[in-house]
PDB file of all heavy atoms in Angstrom:
ATOM      1  N   GLN H 142     -11.728  14.418  -5.670  1.00  0.00           N
ATOM      2  CA  GLN H 142     -12.848  14.983  -4.911  1.00  0.00           C
ATOM      3  C   GLN H 142     -14.130  15.002  -5.750  1.00  0.00           C
ATOM      4  O   GLN H 142     -15.182  14.587  -5.296  1.00  0.00           O
ATOM      5  CB  GLN H 142     -12.490  16.409  -4.505  1.00  0.00           C
ATOM      6  CG  GLN H 142     -12.948  16.719  -3.097  1.00  0.00           C
ATOM      7  CD  GLN H 142     -12.234  17.940  -2.551  1.00  0.00           C
ATOM      8  OE1 GLN H 142     -12.120  18.957  -3.226  1.00  0.00           O
ATOM      9  NE2 GLN H 142     -11.759  17.831  -1.334  1.00  0.00           N
ATOM     10  N   ILE H 143     -13.984  15.522  -6.964  1.00  0.00           N
ATOM     11  CA  ILE H 143     -15.167  15.638  -7.825  1.00  0.00           C
ATOM     12  C   ILE H 143     -14.815  15.164  -9.240  1.00  0.00           C
ATOM     13  O   ILE H 143     -13.741  15.476  -9.749  1.00  0.00           O
ATOM     14  CB  ILE H 143     -15.646  17.116  -7.918  1.00  0.00           C
ATOM     15  CG1 ILE H 143     -16.032  17.642  -6.528  1.00  0.00           C
ATOM     16  CG2 ILE H 143     -16.820  17.253  -8.884  1.00  0.00           C
ATOM     17  CD1 ILE H 143     -16.402  19.118  -6.519  1.00  0.00           C
ATOM     18  N   ILE H 144     -15.718  14.417  -9.856  1.00  0.00           N
ATOM     19  CA  ILE H 144     -15.603  14.102 -11.296  1.00  0.00           C
ATOM     20  C   ILE H 144     -16.914  14.530 -11.948  1.00  0.00           C
ATOM     21  O   ILE H 144     -17.995  14.140 -11.481  1.00  0.00           O
ATOM     22  CB  ILE H 144     -15.400  12.597 -11.558  1.00  0.00           C
ATOM     23  CG1 ILE H 144     -14.156  12.078 -10.831  1.00  0.00           C
ATOM     24  CG2 ILE H 144     -15.278  12.332 -13.053  1.00  0.00           C
ATOM     25  CD1 ILE H 144     -13.882  10.598 -11.088  1.00  0.00           C
ATOM     26  N   ARG H 145     -16.803  15.316 -12.983  1.00  0.00           N
ATOM     27  CA  ARG H 145     -18.003  15.783 -13.683  1.00  0.00           C
ATOM     28  C   ARG H 145     -17.777  15.703 -15.189  1.00  0.00           C
ATOM     29  O   ARG H 145     -16.687  15.992 -15.665  1.00  0.00           O
ATOM     30  CB  ARG H 145     -18.310  17.246 -13.348  1.00  0.00           C
ATOM     31  CG  ARG H 145     -19.040  17.457 -12.048  1.00  0.00           C
ATOM     32  CD  ARG H 145     -20.533  17.074 -12.157  1.00  0.00           C
ATOM     33  NE  ARG H 145     -21.151  17.054 -10.836  1.00  0.00           N
ATOM     34  CZ  ARG H 145     -21.127  16.010  -9.997  1.00  0.00           C
ATOM     35  NH1 ARG H 145     -20.522  14.902 -10.344  1.00  0.00           N
ATOM     36  NH2 ARG H 145     -21.702  16.068  -8.824  1.00  0.00           N
ATOM     37  N   ALA H 146     -18.811  15.368 -15.930  1.00  0.00           N
ATOM     38  CA  ALA H 146     -18.688  15.330 -17.391  1.00  0.00           C
ATOM     39  C   ALA H 146     -19.635  16.335 -18.027  1.00  0.00           C
ATOM     40  O   ALA H 146     -20.640  16.746 -17.430  1.00  0.00           O
ATOM     41  CB  ALA H 146     -18.986  13.935 -17.910  1.00  0.00           C
ATOM     42  N   LEU H 147     -19.286  16.710 -19.249  1.00  0.00           N
ATOM     43  CA  LEU H 147     -20.061  17.686 -20.002  1.00  0.00           C
ATOM     44  C   LEU H 147     -20.135  17.210 -21.453  1.00  0.00           C
ATOM     45  O   LEU H 147     -19.160  16.677 -21.979  1.00  0.00           O
ATOM     46  CB  LEU H 147     -19.327  19.030 -19.931  1.00  0.00           C
ATOM     47  CG  LEU H 147     -19.974  20.254 -20.577  1.00  0.00           C
ATOM     48  CD1 LEU H 147     -21.255  20.646 -19.834  1.00  0.00           C
ATOM     49  CD2 LEU H 147     -18.996  21.425 -20.562  1.00  0.00           C
ATOM     50  N   GLU H 148     -21.287  17.404 -22.073  1.00  0.00           N
ATOM     51  CA  GLU H 148     -21.422  17.108 -23.508  1.00  0.00           C
ATOM     52  C   GLU H 148     -20.909  18.325 -24.279  1.00  0.00           C
ATOM     53  O   GLU H 148     -21.486  19.410 -24.178  1.00  0.00           O
ATOM     54  CB  GLU H 148     -22.895  16.842 -23.839  1.00  0.00           C
ATOM     55  CG  GLU H 148     -23.167  16.443 -25.268  1.00  0.00           C
ATOM     56  CD  GLU H 148     -24.672  16.294 -25.531  1.00  0.00           C
ATOM     57  OE1 GLU H 148     -25.409  17.283 -25.378  1.00  0.00           O
ATOM     58  OE2 GLU H 148     -25.103  15.185 -25.892  1.00  0.00           O
ATOM     59  N   VAL H 149     -19.786  18.145 -24.989  1.00  0.00           N
ATOM     60  CA  VAL H 149     -19.205  19.244 -25.783  1.00  0.00           C
ATOM     61  C   VAL H 149     -19.190  18.824 -27.259  1.00  0.00           C
ATOM     62  O   VAL H 149     -19.618  17.715 -27.589  1.00  0.00           O
ATOM     63  CB  VAL H 149     -17.769  19.595 -25.305  1.00  0.00           C
ATOM     64  CG1 VAL H 149     -17.779  20.100 -23.874  1.00  0.00           C
ATOM     65  CG2 VAL H 149     -16.827  18.400 -25.454  1.00  0.00           C
ATOM     66  N   LEU H 150     -18.678  19.683 -28.133  1.00  0.00           N
ATOM     67  CA  LEU H 150     -18.689  19.369 -29.561  1.00  0.00           C
ATOM     68  C   LEU H 150     -17.300  18.977 -30.072  1.00  0.00           C
ATOM     69  O   LEU H 150     -16.294  19.509 -29.608  1.00  0.00           O
ATOM     70  CB  LEU H 150     -19.182  20.575 -30.371  1.00  0.00           C
ATOM     71  CG  LEU H 150     -20.655  20.937 -30.196  1.00  0.00           C
ATOM     72  CD1 LEU H 150     -21.013  22.128 -31.074  1.00  0.00           C
ATOM     73  CD2 LEU H 150     -21.566  19.752 -30.534  1.00  0.00           C
ATOM     74  N   ASP H 151     -17.271  18.074 -31.044  1.00  0.00           N
ATOM     75  CA  ASP H 151     -15.998  17.730 -31.675  1.00  0.00           C
ATOM     76  C   ASP H 151     -15.842  18.514 -32.992  1.00  0.00           C
ATOM     77  O   ASP H 151     -16.686  19.351 -33.329  1.00  0.00           O
ATOM     78  CB  ASP H 151     -15.853  16.211 -31.858  1.00  0.00           C
ATOM     79  CG  ASP H 151     -16.723  15.632 -32.966  1.00  0.00           C
ATOM     80  OD1 ASP H 151     -17.297  16.404 -33.772  1.00  0.00           O
ATOM     81  OD2 ASP H 151     -16.820  14.393 -33.054  1.00  0.00           O
ATOM     82  N   SER H 152     -14.763  18.217 -33.706  1.00  0.00           N
ATOM     83  CA  SER H 152     -14.421  19.016 -34.891  1.00  0.00           C
ATOM     84  C   SER H 152     -15.392  18.834 -36.045  1.00  0.00           C
ATOM     85  O   SER H 152     -15.338  19.575 -37.026  1.00  0.00           O
ATOM     86  CB  SER H 152     -13.002  18.653 -35.349  1.00  0.00           C
ATOM     87  OG  SER H 152     -12.922  17.264 -35.640  1.00  0.00           O
ATOM     88  N   ARG H 153     -16.285  17.840 -35.970  1.00  0.00           N
ATOM     89  CA  ARG H 153     -17.289  17.664 -37.025  1.00  0.00           C
ATOM     90  C   ARG H 153     -18.661  18.168 -36.581  1.00  0.00           C
ATOM     91  O   ARG H 153     -19.649  17.948 -37.252  1.00  0.00           O
ATOM     92  CB  ARG H 153     -17.393  16.180 -37.403  1.00  0.00           C
ATOM     93  CG  ARG H 153     -16.281  15.718 -38.313  1.00  0.00           C
ATOM     94  CD  ARG H 153     -16.614  14.365 -38.931  1.00  0.00           C
ATOM     95  NE  ARG H 153     -16.371  13.294 -37.994  1.00  0.00           N
ATOM     96  CZ  ARG H 153     -15.487  12.314 -38.197  1.00  0.00           C
ATOM     97  NH1 ARG H 153     -14.783  12.286 -39.303  1.00  0.00           N
ATOM     98  NH2 ARG H 153     -15.309  11.375 -37.310  1.00  0.00           N
ATOM     99  N   GLY H 154     -18.696  18.815 -35.385  1.00  0.00           N
ATOM    100  CA  GLY H 154     -19.984  19.299 -34.895  1.00  0.00           C
ATOM    101  C   GLY H 154     -20.830  18.210 -34.277  1.00  0.00           C
ATOM    102  O   GLY H 154     -22.044  18.364 -34.139  1.00  0.00           O
TER     103      GLY H 154
END
Side-chain angles (χ1 to χ4, degrees):
Q142 220 162 46
I143 299 175
I144 303 182
R145 278 285 170 275
L147 183 67
E148 183 184 61
V149 297
L150 291 181
D151 73 12
S152 58
R153 281 194 281 242

